[in-house]
Amino acid sequence: MTALPTLLTGVVPPVCTPLTPDNEVDVASLERLVDHLVGAGVDALFVLGSSSEAAYLPDGHRRTVVSTVVRHAGGQLPVLAGAIDMTTLRVLDHVRDAADAGADGVVVTAPFYTRTHPAEIARHYRLVAERGGLPVFAYDLPVSVHTKLDADLVLDLAADGTLAGLKDSSGDDGGLRRVILGAPPAFSVLTGSELTVDSALAMGAHGVVPGLGNVDPDGYVRLYRAARAGDRDGARAEQERLCALFGMTETGSPARMGRSSSSLGAFKAALHLRGVIAHPTTAVPQIPLSPEDVERVGKHLATAGLL
Amino acid sequence: MTALPTLLTGVVPPVCTPLTPDNEVDVASLERLVDHLVGAGVDALFVLGSSSEAAYLPDGHRRTVVSTVVRHAGGQLPVLAGAIDMTTLRVLDHVRDAADAGADGVVVTAPFYTRTHPAEIARHYRLVAERGGLPVFAYDLPVSVHTKLDADLVLDLAADGTLAGLKDSSGDDGGLRRVILGAPPAFSVLTGSELTVDSALAMGAHGVVPGLGNVDPDGYVRLYRAARAGDRDGARAEQERLCALFGMTETGSPARMGRSSSSLGAFKAALHLRGVIAHPTTAVPQIPLSPEDVERVGKHLATAGLL
Amino acid sequence: MTALPTLLTGVVPPVCTPLTPDNEVDVASLERLVDHLVGAGVDALFVLGSSSEAAYLPDGHRRTVVSTVVRHAGGQLPVLAGAIDMTTLRVLDHVRDAADAGADGVVVTAPFYTRTHPAEIARHYRLVAERGGLPVFAYDLPVSVHTKLDADLVLDLAADGTLAGLKDSSGDDGGLRRVILGAPPAFSVLTGSELTVDSALAMGAHGVVPGLGNVDPDGYVRLYRAARAGDRDGARAEQERLCALFGMTETGSPARMGRSSSSLGAFKAALHLRGVIAHPTTAVPQIPLSPEDVERVGKHLATAGLL
Amino acid sequence: MTALPTLLTGVVPPVCTPLTPDNEVDVASLERLVDHLVGAGVDALFVLGSSSEAAYLPDGHRRTVVSTVVRHAGGQLPVLAGAIDMTTLRVLDHVRDAADAGADGVVVTAPFYTRTHPAEIARHYRLVAERGGLPVFAYDLPVSVHTKLDADLVLDLAADGTLAGLKDSSGDDGGLRRVILGAPPAFSVLTGSELTVDSALAMGAHGVVPGLGNVDPDGYVRLYRAARAGDRDGARAEQERLCALFGMTETGSPARMGRSSSSLGAFKAALHLRGVIAHPTTAVPQIPLSPEDVERVGKHLATAGLL
């Protein structure tokens, strides 16, 4: 366990979870993926988020993921773990597992599946923070949670110390900006929007959690460093290159599969083609990419000079 | 474990989960609640659905609920258990727990939280049925899952034996009817819509899973028996009385709490006022009813002659 | 103009709008369609609803529709007209046109396109009723309006005389029942749910507004009369026959077209095949059914004995 | 009528529609508002968008607005007009009115109210462009239309010359960027997101359509000019000042009114307090701000140095 810095900054990739063909965690591949990311100079790791297929992983798999990554890299950089579940007590079970495995912080959504209310969301975060014993980052992901975290609510929970930060995957950069402008100094604002990292950093976001960073961590590290160095044109050029690469997530036809199958399938196909992981398998019941889809992922990599 | 009948019919209340003030399962109250339901003549029990606060219960609580109810009533009538989780492998863990505890069948939603696709939903149910070893009932609950189960998809999965039945809480009685008219004879269609049970039975639904049946199981048993006896006016009169009683679920103000807090809070307050359970506690982070809310619940009970 | 009865009851088909191939109103076909409906014994006519493609018709077309139908049938039975637009002042323009053309009442949704609030919905209906000078029926169509009319709001507006009735196309028969049970005696409750007409009538609904009634008005008239005569098995049998016929609305592939194109395309293809209207044209930008789709519509008609 | 430049750029405020207390267009105030905007140096005007309450204005009001603004300012800068309606033929009626009144281009959403499909959206825009005779800008406003315009669809319609530009009010800056990176050179990309104008311009957007620009056009002109001059820190500082000012849109309580009432009420209250328009009236059925709300709007103005 690495002490979490007062303010988490930089590139924090949401680590994919390599699986064997029978859907077990492929620990060796996971370690190689961590090496691939750490070698590129990322600043922290986020496991068990959407890019990690957290929604698809049983608790045993989840524990394996956190303990593997902490054991392999925990001395070098902070490890955040998603504690993704429907409501407070279930989330707290995951927080406990994450703490036991040595995670440095947890990332938690509003309640989902059940119908909720702002007062219940606030109570949820307060209880998770009080009882969990780890720094809590709010995870704003309305496409999954079906509730948008209101900027004022986040700012209230930032002001009273309930939250250590926000991982914003809402795609709503106006709302993101309201949090950036209103939050206390030690509150970390991280964007999960792969295509607007340069914008978010220019607004004052502290870090970035890009799913595509699994495939091209060097690109996001260069982008982040250019932005921090005030080289905005360099940051924009890097970002635009990554926008083109992101086209790989649309290779799987919407007529055949959902958007999770297509995006995560592309990331894993790319990691497999780049030799980082042993199998491109995504968890059931996702639909695998076709050989033609994989070929198109390969072309994206080639165009980006990543093969 | 009671062998599940070929066709599940009748009143199958979704059993509330009594909790202690510190949110542990109140086993003694749960047993009294089961006695209250079985004594009224219900035909089966459904644990770990929405009325059971399944979304709020950690796995340990869930296991306690199933094993308590099976141990207490399992010899007398079938027990179905919800296996509510985001995707296939997580659901299968719950199915395993339910089977170990002696449940007779499981009730399973489409994948949620992740973005999904009809082909993935079908794959999900097929895998749960193949690997789980228990009869699977599809749970159509779009207000939670944010996907409506398509009638044609349900009928395909009914025709090939993947599904043993449907628990329809969509509120869409047109869609329900399409399933009733198209399903094979041994496929059980159960409605979760408390306010249209007489309609659903008149259309050919086999059973009813009413949350309000926790509070007034005798009412739903009378309604079911009247409908089965062809006494449609009697069924309608009973249904209309229950519609009035259902007004209790709106006592908690939407300005203060979500609809889960209000509905489940009312059911539990009513069960507490009727002396069935020891505490009206709902699981965190739900907001408790106010004393005035509870008083109004009491008036609903009094009007219905249930106090 | 026919005085609207105190309580509107019976079969009130939402009249399709026949179009020429260049999207003008086909007045002769519209008159034949009205004859086809009136001849079957329907109780009133509803023009400019969803089945009439009101959303697709310019104001000139709308005026032609109302005046044609009133002139052709207005002495024989009441004519309701949709006044479908985004907000109050725009709706009032349509109400004025409907009154000028001799309509007996108007059917009005909550505000749409703009973000609204229950207090604004109430104000909207009150202004339309006060200034419009015609009886107002609320149109609950959440699939289009993206707001569900709350039963309590409808009941408030029924109690104070703002609304003369409700046309419920929400598919939520529990909500429909709450209105039926709470409304004053002269408030007309009409269901737009083609597949559950027998249920709605058994609950106490006063009438039915079935899009499919364009194709088979005799069927809905028989269904209504059976229900009113207390012949519930006869009503159910007729309803189930109509449920099978309704399958025609799914002939157009969702990969090629929207659900409006498919449903209205099927109704118009059926009316064309039955010789009632001269062209099966739907308004732009809807996608026409393919010849194979039309053939399948024909098979539905043949199976139902309507060719 | 001013010839529309090949590429529309700069600050294009969506002009509010001043109303008299009885909801007529207040022509004198509208002319003063246009002077206020033109005097600040804006580059074009957009009438009949959301900030103009287009959804609330009858056709007569709409015609008055376009003709007033064109007559008053049409020689000096281009005037775009919203042609906001449900489907193609209705939109074309508005396009005709806009053309007659001398507008230089029209802004058009995807079909709404009816259920639609990408093929129908494409057909809609093609017909509007072919038959309307004015340059067409797509208006992406999912909060109203309930469909998000897909970036690929927009790019197809840009490539074949159907669309002259995009007004993106989706809040999805990742999607906006995909359009910017893929569009042909003469395609104008305008952002409607008031809080991220500096970001959008840094990405390559050509212009900005800020509702708040009614209140503080000088601010948006300074922001735009700073961004174009490469003074990114200056642009950011101006943007952050405007973000604080935007807080005025939240003065109206969500318990009392909808978000349209609150936002447009604040803009009009501010214009009234600044002496630009004679009445702060918003169109029915919107709920007026309370005197306390107006006082808070005044405080926002005072803080920003605008009183």
Side-chain angles (χ1 to χ4, degrees):
Chain A
M1 179 162 169
T2 310
L4 199 64
T6 312
L7 185 71
L8 185 66
T9 62
V11 179
V12 188
V15 185
C16 283
T17 306
L19 297 174
T20 64
D22 59 348
N23 276 228
E24 295 299 324
V25 178
D26 175 351
V27 170
S29 288
L30 178 55
E31 291 175 346
R32 277 199 305 276
L33 174 55
V34 167
D35 291 340
H36 165 73
L37 299 171
V38 173
V42 305
D43 300 280
L45 297 170
F46 170 37
V47 298
L48 301 182
S50 297
S51 296
S52 321
E53 296 172 89
Y56 296 91
L57 303 181
D59 289 356
H61 288 46
R62 290 183 178 197
R63 282 188 290 265
T64 301
V65 166
V66 185
S67 63
T68 299
V69 172
V70 168
R71 196 178 53 232
H72 197 71
Q76 309 168 57
L77 76 188
V79 177
L80 301 184
I84 306 303
D85 219 314
M86 295 169 244
T87 60
T88 314
L89 298 179
R90 294 186 61 81
V91 166
L92 278 166
D93 275 0
H94 299 294
V95 174
R96 214 160 292 124
D97 282 352
D100 289 350
D104 300 292
V106 286
V107 184
V108 174
T109 71
F112 56 89
Y113 185 84
T114 189
R115 283 173 292 173
T116 190
H117 182 276
E120 294 167 5
I121 298 173
R123 194 178 181 209
H124 172 69
Y125 279 116
R126 293 207 166 96
L127 287 166
V128 170
E130 282 164 29
R131 299 189 189 170
L134 280 181
V136 177
F137 292 73
Y139 195 173
D140 193 15
L141 187 67
V143 73
S144 290
V145 175
H146 298 281
T147 304
K148 169 87 183 82
L149 286 180
D150 183 69
D152 287 331
L153 177 62
V154 171
L155 290 173
D156 283 352
L157 296 169
D160 71 11
T162 298
L163 294 177
L166 170 70
K167 196 245 162 170
D168 182 339
S169 296
S170 70
D172 170 12
D173 283 350
L176 175 69
R177 187 162 218 159
R178 288 193 51 200
V179 174
I180 290 171
L181 293 175
F187 185 81
S188 299
V189 181
L190 312 174
T191 179
S193 299
E194 281 117 327
L195 307 183
T196 57
V197 172
D198 56 340
S199 308
L201 295 173
M203 281 180 202
H206 305 102
V208 44
V209 189
L212 184 63
N214 284 278
V215 176
D216 189 8
D218 304 278
Y220 280 100
V221 169
R222 281 193 301 269
L223 165 50
Y224 180 77
R225 291 180 184 168
R228 278 293 163 262
D231 173 13
R232 291 181 182 176
D233 293 325
R236 176 177 167 181
E238 193 66 43
Q239 176 68 79
E240 293 184 356
R241 197 185 58 79
L242 290 161
C243 288
L245 183 63
F246 191 72
M248 72 166 57
T249 62
E250 307 219 330
T251 51
S253 160
R256 285 186 50 242
M257 66 184 72
R259 294 303 80 199
S260 174
S261 297
S262 171
S263 295
L264 301 181
F267 292 163
K268 288 188 151 181
L271 287 168
H272 183 237
L273 290 169
R274 296 198 73 191
V276 179
I277 67 175
H279 312 281
T281 309
T282 51
V284 292
Q286 290 172 94
I287 306 292
L289 295 188
S290 70
E292 295 73 33
D293 294 336
V294 173
E295 203 175 314
R296 275 186 289 165
V297 170
K299 280 182 188 158
H300 277 287
L301 290 177
T303 303
L306 295 173
L307 267 195
Chain B
M1 178 163 170
T2 310
L4 199 63
T6 311
L7 185 71
L8 185 67
T9 62
V11 178
V12 188
V15 186
C16 283
T17 306
L19 298 174
T20 64
D22 59 349
N23 276 228
E24 296 298 326
V25 178
D26 175 351
V27 169
S29 288
L30 178 54
E31 291 176 347
R32 276 199 304 277
L33 175 54
V34 167
D35 291 341
H36 165 71
L37 299 170
V38 172
V42 305
D43 301 279
L45 298 170
F46 169 38
V47 298
L48 301 182
S50 297
S51 296
S52 321
E53 296 172 88
Y56 296 91
L57 302 181
D59 289 356
H61 288 47
R62 291 183 177 196
R63 282 189 289 264
T64 301
V65 166
V66 186
S67 63
T68 299
V69 173
V70 168
R71 197 178 52 233
H72 198 70
Q76 308 169 58
L77 76 189
V79 177
L80 301 183
I84 305 303
D85 220 312
M86 296 169 244
T87 60
T88 314
L89 298 179
R90 293 187 62 80
V91 166
L92 278 166
D93 275 1
H94 299 294
V95 174
R96 213 159 293 124
D97 282 352
D100 288 350
D104 300 292
V106 286
V107 184
V108 174
T109 71
F112 57 89
Y113 186 84
T114 189
R115 284 173 291 172
T116 189
H117 183 277
E120 294 168 7
I121 297 174
R123 193 178 182 209
H124 172 69
Y125 279 116
R126 292 207 167 96
L127 286 166
V128 170
E130 281 164 29
R131 299 189 189 171
L134 279 181
V136 177
F137 292 74
Y139 195 172
D140 193 15
L141 187 66
V143 73
S144 291
V145 175
H146 298 282
T147 304
K148 170 87 183 81
L149 285 180
D150 182 69
D152 287 330
L153 177 62
V154 170
L155 290 174
D156 283 352
L157 296 169
D160 71 9
T162 299
L163 294 178
L166 170 71
K167 196 245 163 170
D168 182 339
S169 296
S170 70
D172 171 11
D173 283 351
L176 176 69
R177 187 162 218 159
R178 288 193 52 199
V179 174
I180 290 171
L181 292 176
F187 186 81
S188 298
V189 181
L190 311 173
T191 178
S193 300
E194 281 116 328
L195 306 184
T196 57
V197 171
D198 56 340
S199 309
L201 295 173
M203 280 180 202
H206 306 101
V208 44
V209 189
L212 184 64
N214 283 278
V215 177
D216 190 7
D218 304 277
Y220 280 100
V221 169
R222 281 194 298 270
L223 164 49
Y224 180 76
R225 291 180 183 168
R228 279 291 163 264
D231 173 13
R232 291 182 180 173
D233 293 326
R236 176 177 167 181
E238 192 66 44
Q239 176 68 80
E240 292 184 356
R241 196 185 58 80
L242 290 161
C243 287
L245 184 63
F246 192 72
M248 71 165 59
T249 61
E250 307 218 330
T251 50
S253 160
R256 284 186 51 241
M257 66 184 72
R259 294 303 81 199
S260 173
S261 297
S262 171
S263 294
L264 301 180
F267 292 164
K268 287 187 152 182
L271 286 168
H272 183 237
L273 290 168
R274 296 199 73 191
V276 179
I277 67 175
H279 312 281
T281 309
T282 51
V284 292
Q286 289 172 95
I287 305 292
L289 295 188
S290 70
E292 296 72 33
D293 294 336
V294 173
E295 202 175 314
R296 276 185 289 164
V297 170
K299 280 182 189 158
H300 276 286
L301 290 177
T303 303
L306 295 173
L307 265 195
Chain C
M1 182 163 169
T2 310
L4 199 64
T6 312
L7 186 70
L8 185 67
T9 61
V11 179
V12 188
V15 186
C16 283
T17 305
L19 297 174
T20 63
D22 58 348
N23 276 227
E24 295 299 324
V25 178
D26 176 351
V27 170
S29 288
L30 178 55
E31 291 175 347
R32 277 198 304 276
L33 175 55
V34 167
D35 291 340
H36 165 72
L37 299 171
V38 173
V42 304
D43 300 280
L45 297 170
F46 169 38
V47 297
L48 301 183
S50 297
S51 296
S52 321
E53 297 173 86
Y56 295 91
L57 303 181
D59 289 356
H61 288 46
R62 291 183 177 196
R63 282 190 289 264
T64 300
V65 166
V66 185
S67 62
T68 299
V69 172
V70 169
R71 197 179 50 231
H72 197 71
Q76 308 168 55
L77 75 188
V79 178
L80 301 184
I84 306 303
D85 219 312
M86 297 170 241
T87 59
T88 314
L89 298 179
R90 293 186 63 79
V91 166
L92 278 166
D93 274 359
H94 299 294
V95 174
R96 213 160 293 125
D97 282 351
D100 288 350
D104 300 292
V106 287
V107 184
V108 173
T109 70
F112 57 89
Y113 185 85
T114 189
R115 285 173 290 173
T116 191
H117 182 277
E120 294 167 6
I121 297 173
R123 194 178 182 210
H124 172 69
Y125 279 116
R126 292 206 168 97
L127 287 166
V128 171
E130 283 164 29
R131 299 188 189 171
L134 280 181
V136 177
F137 293 74
Y139 195 173
D140 193 16
L141 186 68
V143 73
S144 291
V145 175
H146 298 281
T147 304
K148 170 87 182 83
L149 285 180
D150 182 69
D152 288 331
L153 177 62
V154 171
L155 290 173
D156 283 352
L157 296 170
D160 70 10
T162 298
L163 294 178
L166 170 69
K167 196 246 162 170
D168 181 339
S169 296
S170 71
D172 170 11
D173 283 351
L176 176 69
R177 188 164 218 157
R178 289 193 51 200
V179 174
I180 290 171
L181 293 175
F187 186 80
S188 300
V189 181
L190 311 174
T191 179
S193 299
E194 281 116 327
L195 307 183
T196 58
V197 171
D198 57 340
S199 308
L201 295 173
M203 282 179 198
H206 305 101
V208 44
V209 189
L212 184 64
N214 283 280
V215 177
D216 189 7
D218 304 277
Y220 280 100
V221 168
R222 280 193 299 270
L223 164 48
Y224 179 76
R225 291 180 183 169
R228 278 293 163 263
D231 173 13
R232 291 183 182 174
D233 293 326
R236 177 177 168 182
E238 192 66 43
Q239 176 69 80
E240 293 184 354
R241 196 185 58 80
L242 290 161
C243 288
L245 183 62
F246 191 72
M248 71 165 58
T249 62
E250 307 217 329
T251 50
S253 160
R256 284 185 52 242
M257 66 184 72
R259 293 303 81 200
S260 174
S261 296
S262 171
S263 295
L264 300 181
F267 292 164
K268 287 187 152 182
L271 286 168
H272 183 237
L273 290 168
R274 296 198 73 193
V276 179
I277 67 176
H279 312 281
T281 310
T282 51
V284 293
Q286 291 172 92
I287 305 292
L289 295 188
S290 70
E292 296 72 34
D293 294 337
V294 173
E295 203 175 315
R296 276 186 288 163
V297 170
K299 280 183 188 156
H300 277 287
L301 290 178
T303 304
L306 295 173
L307 267 196
Chain D
M1 181 162 170
T2 311
L4 200 63
T6 312
L7 186 71
L8 186 67
T9 62
V11 178
V12 188
V15 185
C16 283
T17 305
L19 297 174
T20 63
D22 58 349
N23 276 226
E24 295 298 325
V25 178
D26 176 350
V27 170
S29 287
L30 178 55
E31 291 175 347
R32 277 198 304 277
L33 175 54
V34 167
D35 292 340
H36 165 72
L37 300 171
V38 173
V42 304
D43 299 280
L45 297 170
F46 169 38
V47 297
L48 301 184
S50 297
S51 296
S52 321
E53 297 172 87
Y56 296 91
L57 302 181
D59 289 356
H61 288 48
R62 291 183 176 196
R63 283 189 289 263
T64 300
V65 166
V66 186
S67 63
T68 299
V69 173
V70 168
R71 198 178 50 231
H72 198 71
Q76 309 169 56
L77 74 188
V79 177
L80 301 184
I84 306 302
D85 219 313
M86 297 169 241
T87 59
T88 314
L89 298 179
R90 293 186 63 78
V91 167
L92 278 167
D93 274 0
H94 298 294
V95 174
R96 213 158 293 127
D97 282 351
D100 289 349
D104 300 293
V106 287
V107 184
V108 173
T109 70
F112 57 89
Y113 186 84
T114 189
R115 285 173 290 172
T116 191
H117 182 276
E120 293 167 5
I121 298 173
R123 194 178 181 210
H124 172 70
Y125 279 117
R126 292 206 167 97
L127 287 166
V128 171
E130 282 164 30
R131 299 188 189 170
L134 280 181
V136 177
F137 292 75
Y139 196 173
D140 193 16
L141 187 67
V143 73
S144 291
V145 175
H146 298 281
T147 304
K148 171 87 182 82
L149 286 180
D150 183 68
D152 287 331
L153 177 62
V154 171
L155 290 173
D156 284 352
L157 296 170
D160 70 10
T162 299
L163 294 177
L166 170 71
K167 196 246 162 170
D168 181 339
S169 295
S170 70
D172 170 12
D173 283 351
L176 176 69
R177 188 163 217 158
R178 287 193 52 201
V179 174
I180 291 170
L181 293 175
F187 186 80
S188 299
V189 182
L190 311 173
T191 179
S193 300
E194 280 116 329
L195 307 183
T196 58
V197 171
D198 55 340
S199 308
L201 295 173
M203 281 179 200
H206 305 102
V208 44
V209 189
L212 184 64
N214 283 280
V215 177
D216 189 6
D218 304 279
Y220 280 100
V221 169
R222 281 193 300 270
L223 164 48
Y224 180 76
R225 291 180 182 168
R228 278 292 163 264
D231 173 13
R232 291 181 181 175
D233 293 326
R236 176 177 167 181
E238 192 66 43
Q239 176 68 80
E240 293 184 355
R241 196 185 58 78
L242 289 162
C243 288
L245 183 62
F246 192 72
M248 72 165 59
T249 62
E250 307 218 329
T251 50
S253 160
R256 284 185 51 241
M257 66 184 72
R259 294 303 82 200
S260 173
S261 297
S262 172
S263 295
L264 301 181
F267 291 164
K268 288 188 151 181
L271 286 168
H272 183 236
L273 290 169
R274 296 197 74 191
V276 179
I277 67 175
H279 312 281
T281 310
T282 51
V284 292
Q286 291 172 94
I287 306 291
L289 295 188
S290 71
E292 295 73 33
D293 294 336
V294 173
E295 204 175 314
R296 276 186 288 163
V297 170
K299 280 183 188 156
H300 277 287
L301 290 177
T303 303
L306 295 174
L307 266 195

